[in-house]
Structure formats: structure tokens, C-alpha cells
Amino acid sequence: MSEEKQHHHDGLFHHHKDREKPDDEIDYKKEEKHHKHHEHLAELGTAGAGAFALYEKHKAKKDPEHAHKHKIEEEIAAAAAIGAGGFAFHEHHEKKETKKKEEEAHGKKHHHPF
């Protein structure tokens, strides 16, 4: 097959830096909205996993025959809640960083004493 007919597929999670916009053309509002959306989804995941962990804790007390199984599921749900909380924290800081970059790009300056 000739070189001009070959196509390279990027795949689902591959990003190419050369295809990104330069800093002056980045849509900061869109990026901030993206991080805010992910932050809210992570918060929902934290709440859902936390609620499931509490439910499994309750089931472990009510069902002593299968208490070990419920205890394991409780711990897994608690770990998922912690992971989702960490992701929410990460996205919150990404959102703040994007907002800061937008302000710097549009001439607003931050003065920090440090």
C-alpha cells in the first residue's frame, strides 16, 4: 500500500500535541466547563459509593451468615468512594488552574506575595 493511502488511527485515548491549538486560541471557558462537569460526576460517584458502603455495613450486621462477604463489599465501596473523591479534588484544581490561565491570557495578573 502506498504511503499516501495509509491511514493512522489514533485510538480512543491517544492525543497528539501537534493537533492542539496554540495557547492564544484555547477555549478556556469550554475547558473549565469540562473540568467542572467531571468534578460533579466524581462527586456523584463519591456519594454513590459512600452510600453503597454504608448499605453493605448495614447488611453485614443484619445478615451474620454472609457478614464476611458484606464486609469485603463495604471496604471495596469505601475505596471506590475515596478514589472518586480524589478525582473530584483533582478536577477541582484543574478547573481552578484553567481559570487562572484564562485570566493570565486575557491580561489579568495575579500578585502573590510568595
Side-chain angles (χ1 to χ4, degrees), residues 22-36:
D23 282 346
D24 58 342
E25 294 181 24
I26 294 176
D27 187 358
Y28 289 106
K29 289 290 184 191
K30 185 176 181 181
E31 190 173 339
E32 184 180 350
K33 186 177 179 183
H34 172 79
H35 290 300
K36 185 176 183 179

Side-chain angles (χ1 to χ4, degrees), residues 8-91:
H8 178 72
H9 298 283
D10 294 336
L12 185 59
F13 298 107
H14 295 99
H15 300 283
H16 289 282
K17 294 286 182 189
D18 58 344
R19 292 185 188 169
E20 292 181 3
K21 295 178 181 179
D23 282 346
D24 58 342
E25 294 181 24
I26 294 176
D27 187 358
Y28 289 106
K29 289 290 184 191
K30 185 176 181 181
E31 190 173 339
E32 184 180 350
K33 186 177 179 183
H34 172 79
H35 290 300
K36 185 176 183 179
H37 178 72
H38 279 190
E39 180 185 358
H40 285 243
L41 289 176
E43 288 170 351
L44 285 173
T46 303
F52 187 71
L54 289 174
Y55 169 76
E56 285 299 325
K57 185 174 187 172
H58 172 74
K59 291 293 275 186
K61 289 180 182 177
K62 292 292 182 183
D63 186 11
E65 187 176 331
H66 300 105
H68 183 69
K69 174 185 175 250
H70 293 298
K71 209 57 168 147
I72 291 171
E73 289 180 356
E74 174 194 350
E75 290 175 9
I76 291 170
I82 290 170
F87 183 65
F89 183 76
H90 165 76
E91 286 298 322

Side-chain angles (χ1 to χ4, degrees), residues 82-99:
I82 290 170
F87 183 65
F89 183 76
H90 165 76
E91 286 298 322
H92 176 73
H93 284 280
E94 287 291 317
K95 180 180 71 172
K96 284 175 54 176
E97 186 67 30
T98 301
K99 191 170 190 169

